[in-house]
Amino acid sequence: MERTFIAIKPDGVQRRLVGEVISRFEEKGFTLVGLKLMSVSRELAESHYEVHKGKPFFDGLMKFITSGPVVAMVWEGDGVVAAARKMIGATNPLTAEPGTIRGDYAVSVGRNLIHGSDAIETANREISLWFKEEDLIAWEPSIMSWLVE
Ligand code: GTP
Ligand code: MG
């Protein structure tokens, strides 16, 4: 089953939006298979965002991501990678559609609340970067027959 890596960034935790974000994914019908509150090391932050190394915002991004606790999660479901990106909204919260998480709760690209993997391959890389395999729980929600035909 498809999985994606989602992280509530330090601004989301500070702003008490952890429950709101988790609710949106639960209510949509995706399945939580991994969850932890953690401090992010500079090493992990650099590895996670390695494609952005050298860009003008990189140092600010590193400072921000390591500035406070992050909620790291893995969510499962058919099409979850692309669907989560839609639920999260555009990178710049000012252009993110209302109804998306960034569109509803944020105003600045450097404080955009949440990360979601941008492709299935990226998701696999990020999940193994942030989680040990044994910390991911494969389970069959009992409501599955009410979610999927
Ligand atoms: P993530 O889910 O965090 O990866 O965001 P994204 O996939 O929507 O955007 P992208 O991967 O291109 O950028 C990663 C993060 O870097 C963004 O979420 C922003 O926090 C930050 N970022 C990207 N572009 C800019 C920018 O032009 N200025 C600033 N200040 N930050 C940026
Ligand atoms: Mg990205």
Side-chain angles (χ1 to χ4, degrees), residues 9 11 15 88-114:
K9 298 178 182 182
D11 52 340
R15 292 182 53 204
I88 289 168
T91 307
N92 182 347
L94 290 179
T95 56
E97 294 292 332
T100 65
I101 293 166
R102 288 169 175 164
D104 286 349
Y105 294 111
V107 290
S108 167
V109 71
R111 299 286 185 272
N112 63 4
L113 289 176
I114 181 168

PDB file of all heavy atoms in Angstrom, residues 9 11 15 88-114:
ATOM      1  N   LYS A   9       5.733  21.010  10.971  1.00  0.00           N
ATOM      2  CA  LYS A   9       6.949  21.772  11.241  1.00  0.00           C
ATOM      3  C   LYS A   9       6.829  22.496  12.582  1.00  0.00           C
ATOM      4  O   LYS A   9       5.736  22.571  13.170  1.00  0.00           O
ATOM      5  CB  LYS A   9       7.184  22.755  10.079  1.00  0.00           C
ATOM      6  CG  LYS A   9       7.393  22.053   8.718  1.00  0.00           C
ATOM      7  CD  LYS A   9       7.580  23.052   7.586  1.00  0.00           C
ATOM      8  CE  LYS A   9       7.738  22.355   6.242  1.00  0.00           C
ATOM      9  NZ  LYS A   9       7.960  23.305   5.129  1.00  0.00           N
ATOM     10  N   ASP A  11       6.466  25.485  13.521  1.00  0.00           N
ATOM     11  CA  ASP A  11       5.397  26.495  13.641  1.00  0.00           C
ATOM     12  C   ASP A  11       4.037  25.839  13.873  1.00  0.00           C
ATOM     13  O   ASP A  11       3.215  26.339  14.652  1.00  0.00           O
ATOM     14  CB  ASP A  11       5.356  27.421  12.412  1.00  0.00           C
ATOM     15  CG  ASP A  11       5.285  26.673  11.085  1.00  0.00           C
ATOM     16  OD1 ASP A  11       5.634  25.478  11.043  1.00  0.00           O
ATOM     17  OD2 ASP A  11       4.883  27.282  10.083  1.00  0.00           O
ATOM     18  N   ARG A  15       1.904  26.429  17.212  1.00  0.00           N
ATOM     19  CA  ARG A  15       0.587  27.056  17.039  1.00  0.00           C
ATOM     20  C   ARG A  15      -0.570  26.120  17.385  1.00  0.00           C
ATOM     21  O   ARG A  15      -1.731  26.422  17.124  1.00  0.00           O
ATOM     22  CB  ARG A  15       0.468  27.598  15.611  1.00  0.00           C
ATOM     23  CG  ARG A  15       1.423  28.786  15.369  1.00  0.00           C
ATOM     24  CD  ARG A  15       1.257  29.343  13.982  1.00  0.00           C
ATOM     25  NE  ARG A  15      -0.132  29.647  13.729  1.00  0.00           N
ATOM     26  CZ  ARG A  15      -0.686  29.713  12.495  1.00  0.00           C
ATOM     27  NH1 ARG A  15       0.064  29.486  11.428  1.00  0.00           N
ATOM     28  NH2 ARG A  15      -1.949  29.985  12.357  1.00  0.00           N
ATOM     29  N   ILE A  88      -2.384  19.667   1.550  1.00  0.00           N
ATOM     30  CA  ILE A  88      -1.435  20.625   2.134  1.00  0.00           C
ATOM     31  C   ILE A  88      -1.499  21.972   1.406  1.00  0.00           C
ATOM     32  O   ILE A  88      -1.454  23.024   2.030  1.00  0.00           O
ATOM     33  CB  ILE A  88      -0.006  20.022   2.094  1.00  0.00           C
ATOM     34  CG1 ILE A  88       0.104  18.878   3.109  1.00  0.00           C
ATOM     35  CG2 ILE A  88       1.050  21.102   2.340  1.00  0.00           C
ATOM     36  CD1 ILE A  88       1.358  18.033   2.960  1.00  0.00           C
ATOM     37  N   GLY A  89      -1.582  21.944   0.095  1.00  0.00           N
ATOM     38  CA  GLY A  89      -1.660  23.183  -0.683  1.00  0.00           C
ATOM     39  C   GLY A  89      -0.305  23.684  -1.146  1.00  0.00           C
ATOM     40  O   GLY A  89       0.738  23.119  -0.819  1.00  0.00           O
ATOM     41  N   ALA A  90      -0.324  24.783  -1.907  1.00  0.00           N
ATOM     42  CA  ALA A  90       0.898  25.315  -2.523  1.00  0.00           C
ATOM     43  C   ALA A  90       1.933  25.722  -1.480  1.00  0.00           C
ATOM     44  O   ALA A  90       1.591  26.069  -0.347  1.00  0.00           O
ATOM     45  CB  ALA A  90       0.540  26.522  -3.389  1.00  0.00           C
ATOM     46  N   THR A  91       3.203  25.703  -1.904  1.00  0.00           N
ATOM     47  CA  THR A  91       4.322  26.032  -1.001  1.00  0.00           C
ATOM     48  C   THR A  91       4.130  27.406  -0.357  1.00  0.00           C
ATOM     49  O   THR A  91       4.374  27.574   0.834  1.00  0.00           O
ATOM     50  CB  THR A  91       5.650  26.010  -1.802  1.00  0.00           C
ATOM     51  OG1 THR A  91       5.756  24.754  -2.475  1.00  0.00           O
ATOM     52  CG2 THR A  91       6.841  26.215  -0.889  1.00  0.00           C
ATOM     53  N   ASN A  92       3.699  28.382  -1.154  1.00  0.00           N
ATOM     54  CA  ASN A  92       3.441  29.725  -0.611  1.00  0.00           C
ATOM     55  C   ASN A  92       2.000  29.789  -0.094  1.00  0.00           C
ATOM     56  O   ASN A  92       1.053  29.753  -0.884  1.00  0.00           O
ATOM     57  CB  ASN A  92       3.663  30.775  -1.694  1.00  0.00           C
ATOM     58  CG  ASN A  92       3.463  32.186  -1.155  1.00  0.00           C
ATOM     59  OD1 ASN A  92       2.936  32.376  -0.055  1.00  0.00           O
ATOM     60  ND2 ASN A  92       3.897  33.176  -1.905  1.00  0.00           N
ATOM     61  N   PRO A  93       1.822  29.894   1.212  1.00  0.00           N
ATOM     62  CA  PRO A  93       0.476  29.861   1.784  1.00  0.00           C
ATOM     63  C   PRO A  93      -0.446  30.959   1.255  1.00  0.00           C
ATOM     64  O   PRO A  93      -1.667  30.807   1.288  1.00  0.00           O
ATOM     65  CB  PRO A  93       0.721  30.041   3.285  1.00  0.00           C
ATOM     66  CG  PRO A  93       2.118  29.572   3.491  1.00  0.00           C
ATOM     67  CD  PRO A  93       2.863  29.955   2.247  1.00  0.00           C
ATOM     68  N   LEU A  94       0.138  32.047   0.754  1.00  0.00           N
ATOM     69  CA  LEU A  94      -0.706  33.127   0.231  1.00  0.00           C
ATOM     70  C   LEU A  94      -1.367  32.744  -1.092  1.00  0.00           C
ATOM     71  O   LEU A  94      -2.407  33.291  -1.450  1.00  0.00           O
ATOM     72  CB  LEU A  94       0.098  34.416   0.055  1.00  0.00           C
ATOM     73  CG  LEU A  94       0.528  35.095   1.351  1.00  0.00           C
ATOM     74  CD1 LEU A  94       1.334  36.347   1.048  1.00  0.00           C
ATOM     75  CD2 LEU A  94      -0.673  35.438   2.233  1.00  0.00           C
ATOM     76  N   THR A  95      -0.754  31.801  -1.807  1.00  0.00           N
ATOM     77  CA  THR A  95      -1.381  31.341  -3.052  1.00  0.00           C
ATOM     78  C   THR A  95      -2.030  29.966  -2.880  1.00  0.00           C
ATOM     79  O   THR A  95      -2.709  29.488  -3.793  1.00  0.00           O
ATOM     80  CB  THR A  95      -0.363  31.309  -4.213  1.00  0.00           C
ATOM     81  OG1 THR A  95       0.742  30.495  -3.832  1.00  0.00           O
ATOM     82  CG2 THR A  95       0.134  32.696  -4.551  1.00  0.00           C
ATOM     83  N   ALA A  96      -1.856  29.357  -1.736  1.00  0.00           N
ATOM     84  CA  ALA A  96      -2.505  28.060  -1.468  1.00  0.00           C
ATOM     85  C   ALA A  96      -4.019  28.266  -1.402  1.00  0.00           C
ATOM     86  O   ALA A  96      -4.493  29.258  -0.843  1.00  0.00           O
ATOM     87  CB  ALA A  96      -1.983  27.475  -0.159  1.00  0.00           C
ATOM     88  N   GLU A  97      -4.758  27.350  -1.994  1.00  0.00           N
ATOM     89  CA  GLU A  97      -6.225  27.466  -2.030  1.00  0.00           C
ATOM     90  C   GLU A  97      -6.810  27.407  -0.616  1.00  0.00           C
ATOM     91  O   GLU A  97      -6.359  26.604   0.209  1.00  0.00           O
ATOM     92  CB  GLU A  97      -6.823  26.296  -2.832  1.00  0.00           C
ATOM     93  CG  GLU A  97      -6.489  26.286  -4.306  1.00  0.00           C
ATOM     94  CD  GLU A  97      -7.146  27.429  -5.067  1.00  0.00           C
ATOM     95  OE1 GLU A  97      -8.222  27.891  -4.646  1.00  0.00           O
ATOM     96  OE2 GLU A  97      -6.568  27.853  -6.075  1.00  0.00           O
ATOM     97  N   PRO A  98      -7.843  28.213  -0.365  1.00  0.00           N
ATOM     98  CA  PRO A  98      -8.611  28.026   0.867  1.00  0.00           C
ATOM     99  C   PRO A  98      -9.122  26.579   0.899  1.00  0.00           C
ATOM    100  O   PRO A  98      -9.454  26.019  -0.139  1.00  0.00           O
ATOM    101  CB  PRO A  98      -9.776  29.009   0.723  1.00  0.00           C
ATOM    102  CG  PRO A  98      -9.304  30.030  -0.258  1.00  0.00           C
ATOM    103  CD  PRO A  98      -8.371  29.306  -1.194  1.00  0.00           C
ATOM    104  N   GLY A  99      -9.148  26.009   2.080  1.00  0.00           N
ATOM    105  CA  GLY A  99      -9.545  24.600   2.188  1.00  0.00           C
ATOM    106  C   GLY A  99      -8.342  23.685   2.323  1.00  0.00           C
ATOM    107  O   GLY A  99      -8.457  22.569   2.820  1.00  0.00           O
ATOM    108  N   THR A 100      -7.175  24.173   1.866  1.00  0.00           N
ATOM    109  CA  THR A 100      -5.949  23.410   2.105  1.00  0.00           C
ATOM    110  C   THR A 100      -5.381  23.830   3.472  1.00  0.00           C
ATOM    111  O   THR A 100      -5.763  24.874   4.017  1.00  0.00           O
ATOM    112  CB  THR A 100      -4.897  23.674   1.011  1.00  0.00           C
ATOM    113  OG1 THR A 100      -4.484  25.060   1.068  1.00  0.00           O
ATOM    114  CG2 THR A 100      -5.455  23.380  -0.377  1.00  0.00           C
ATOM    115  N   ILE A 101      -4.469  23.021   3.985  1.00  0.00           N
ATOM    116  CA  ILE A 101      -3.920  23.321   5.320  1.00  0.00           C
ATOM    117  C   ILE A 101      -3.150  24.641   5.287  1.00  0.00           C
ATOM    118  O   ILE A 101      -3.363  25.523   6.124  1.00  0.00           O
ATOM    119  CB  ILE A 101      -3.043  22.146   5.795  1.00  0.00           C
ATOM    120  CG1 ILE A 101      -3.929  20.908   6.026  1.00  0.00           C
ATOM    121  CG2 ILE A 101      -2.286  22.517   7.080  1.00  0.00           C
ATOM    122  CD1 ILE A 101      -3.172  19.600   6.175  1.00  0.00           C
ATOM    123  N   ARG A 102      -2.261  24.788   4.311  1.00  0.00           N
ATOM    124  CA  ARG A 102      -1.510  26.052   4.231  1.00  0.00           C
ATOM    125  C   ARG A 102      -2.429  27.218   3.880  1.00  0.00           C
ATOM    126  O   ARG A 102      -2.262  28.332   4.390  1.00  0.00           O
ATOM    127  CB  ARG A 102      -0.377  25.929   3.204  1.00  0.00           C
ATOM    128  CG  ARG A 102       0.778  25.041   3.681  1.00  0.00           C
ATOM    129  CD  ARG A 102       1.733  24.739   2.535  1.00  0.00           C
ATOM    130  NE  ARG A 102       2.920  23.998   2.952  1.00  0.00           N
ATOM    131  CZ  ARG A 102       3.732  23.370   2.103  1.00  0.00           C
ATOM    132  NH1 ARG A 102       3.483  23.400   0.793  1.00  0.00           N
ATOM    133  NH2 ARG A 102       4.784  22.718   2.548  1.00  0.00           N
ATOM    134  N   GLY A 103      -3.398  26.982   3.019  1.00  0.00           N
ATOM    135  CA  GLY A 103      -4.340  28.029   2.617  1.00  0.00           C
ATOM    136  C   GLY A 103      -5.194  28.502   3.780  1.00  0.00           C
ATOM    137  O   GLY A 103      -5.565  29.677   3.850  1.00  0.00           O
ATOM    138  N   ASP A 104      -5.489  27.609   4.696  1.00  0.00           N
ATOM    139  CA  ASP A 104      -6.355  27.966   5.827  1.00  0.00           C
ATOM    140  C   ASP A 104      -5.601  28.533   7.026  1.00  0.00           C
ATOM    141  O   ASP A 104      -6.182  29.282   7.812  1.00  0.00           O
ATOM    142  CB  ASP A 104      -7.145  26.736   6.304  1.00  0.00           C
ATOM    143  CG  ASP A 104      -8.272  26.369   5.351  1.00  0.00           C
ATOM    144  OD1 ASP A 104      -8.579  27.179   4.446  1.00  0.00           O
ATOM    145  OD2 ASP A 104      -8.843  25.279   5.512  1.00  0.00           O
ATOM    146  N   TYR A 105      -4.324  28.159   7.185  1.00  0.00           N
ATOM    147  CA  TYR A 105      -3.668  28.472   8.461  1.00  0.00           C
ATOM    148  C   TYR A 105      -2.349  29.220   8.378  1.00  0.00           C
ATOM    149  O   TYR A 105      -1.724  29.434   9.412  1.00  0.00           O
ATOM    150  CB  TYR A 105      -3.422  27.174   9.244  1.00  0.00           C
ATOM    151  CG  TYR A 105      -4.686  26.508   9.680  1.00  0.00           C
ATOM    152  CD1 TYR A 105      -5.084  25.306   9.121  1.00  0.00           C
ATOM    153  CD2 TYR A 105      -5.504  27.091  10.651  1.00  0.00           C
ATOM    154  CE1 TYR A 105      -6.263  24.685   9.510  1.00  0.00           C
ATOM    155  CE2 TYR A 105      -6.678  26.486  11.047  1.00  0.00           C
ATOM    156  CZ  TYR A 105      -7.055  25.288  10.471  1.00  0.00           C
ATOM    157  OH  TYR A 105      -8.217  24.689  10.858  1.00  0.00           O
ATOM    158  N   ALA A 106      -1.862  29.584   7.175  1.00  0.00           N
ATOM    159  CA  ALA A 106      -0.527  30.186   7.126  1.00  0.00           C
ATOM    160  C   ALA A 106      -0.472  31.352   6.143  1.00  0.00           C
ATOM    161  O   ALA A 106      -1.341  31.487   5.266  1.00  0.00           O
ATOM    162  CB  ALA A 106       0.497  29.119   6.748  1.00  0.00           C
ATOM    163  N   VAL A 107       0.537  32.202   6.321  1.00  0.00           N
ATOM    164  CA  VAL A 107       0.680  33.397   5.471  1.00  0.00           C
ATOM    165  C   VAL A 107       2.083  33.569   4.885  1.00  0.00           C
ATOM    166  O   VAL A 107       2.311  34.504   4.122  1.00  0.00           O
ATOM    167  CB  VAL A 107       0.318  34.696   6.244  1.00  0.00           C
ATOM    168  CG1 VAL A 107      -1.177  34.765   6.523  1.00  0.00           C
ATOM    169  CG2 VAL A 107       1.130  34.821   7.533  1.00  0.00           C
ATOM    170  N   SER A 108       3.033  32.683   5.232  1.00  0.00           N
ATOM    171  CA  SER A 108       4.417  32.929   4.832  1.00  0.00           C
ATOM    172  C   SER A 108       5.098  31.640   4.375  1.00  0.00           C
ATOM    173  O   SER A 108       4.952  30.594   5.020  1.00  0.00           O
ATOM    174  CB  SER A 108       5.162  33.533   6.027  1.00  0.00           C
ATOM    175  OG  SER A 108       6.535  33.507   5.800  1.00  0.00           O
ATOM    176  N   VAL A 109       5.854  31.734   3.280  1.00  0.00           N
ATOM    177  CA  VAL A 109       6.504  30.541   2.711  1.00  0.00           C
ATOM    178  C   VAL A 109       7.514  29.927   3.684  1.00  0.00           C
ATOM    179  O   VAL A 109       7.709  28.715   3.708  1.00  0.00           O
ATOM    180  CB  VAL A 109       7.146  30.872   1.338  1.00  0.00           C
ATOM    181  CG1 VAL A 109       8.365  31.763   1.485  1.00  0.00           C
ATOM    182  CG2 VAL A 109       7.499  29.617   0.578  1.00  0.00           C
ATOM    183  N   GLY A 110       8.122  30.766   4.503  1.00  0.00           N
ATOM    184  CA  GLY A 110       9.093  30.269   5.491  1.00  0.00           C
ATOM    185  C   GLY A 110       8.454  29.767   6.774  1.00  0.00           C
ATOM    186  O   GLY A 110       9.144  29.329   7.697  1.00  0.00           O
ATOM    187  N   ARG A 111       7.124  29.833   6.861  1.00  0.00           N
ATOM    188  CA  ARG A 111       6.373  29.310   8.017  1.00  0.00           C
ATOM    189  C   ARG A 111       5.117  28.634   7.471  1.00  0.00           C
ATOM    190  O   ARG A 111       3.998  29.060   7.750  1.00  0.00           O
ATOM    191  CB  ARG A 111       5.968  30.453   8.977  1.00  0.00           C
ATOM    192  CG  ARG A 111       7.124  31.230   9.583  1.00  0.00           C
ATOM    193  CD  ARG A 111       7.854  30.412  10.671  1.00  0.00           C
ATOM    194  NE  ARG A 111       8.894  31.216  11.328  1.00  0.00           N
ATOM    195  CZ  ARG A 111      10.141  31.308  10.893  1.00  0.00           C
ATOM    196  NH1 ARG A 111      10.529  30.665   9.801  1.00  0.00           N
ATOM    197  NH2 ARG A 111      11.019  32.038  11.550  1.00  0.00           N
ATOM    198  N   ASN A 112       5.333  27.575   6.675  1.00  0.00           N
ATOM    199  CA  ASN A 112       4.192  26.975   5.978  1.00  0.00           C
ATOM    200  C   ASN A 112       3.699  25.671   6.594  1.00  0.00           C
ATOM    201  O   ASN A 112       3.060  24.854   5.934  1.00  0.00           O
ATOM    202  CB  ASN A 112       4.470  26.866   4.474  1.00  0.00           C
ATOM    203  CG  ASN A 112       5.630  25.965   4.156  1.00  0.00           C
ATOM    204  OD1 ASN A 112       6.213  25.343   5.046  1.00  0.00           O
ATOM    205  ND2 ASN A 112       5.983  25.867   2.887  1.00  0.00           N
ATOM    206  N   LEU A 113       4.003  25.489   7.887  1.00  0.00           N
ATOM    207  CA  LEU A 113       3.331  24.526   8.769  1.00  0.00           C
ATOM    208  C   LEU A 113       3.617  23.054   8.599  1.00  0.00           C
ATOM    209  O   LEU A 113       3.653  22.306   9.566  1.00  0.00           O
ATOM    210  CB  LEU A 113       1.798  24.661   8.651  1.00  0.00           C
ATOM    211  CG  LEU A 113       1.163  25.888   9.240  1.00  0.00           C
ATOM    212  CD1 LEU A 113      -0.348  25.879   8.925  1.00  0.00           C
ATOM    213  CD2 LEU A 113       1.375  25.928  10.753  1.00  0.00           C
ATOM    214  N   ILE A 114       3.738  22.616   7.372  1.00  0.00           N
ATOM    215  CA  ILE A 114       3.676  21.160   7.154  1.00  0.00           C
ATOM    216  C   ILE A 114       4.480  20.766   5.922  1.00  0.00           C
ATOM    217  O   ILE A 114       4.583  21.543   4.964  1.00  0.00           O
ATOM    218  CB  ILE A 114       2.193  20.717   7.039  1.00  0.00           C
ATOM    219  CG1 ILE A 114       2.059  19.207   6.830  1.00  0.00           C
ATOM    220  CG2 ILE A 114       1.439  21.506   5.966  1.00  0.00           C
ATOM    221  CD1 ILE A 114       0.627  18.685   6.994  1.00  0.00           C
TER     222      ILE A 114
END
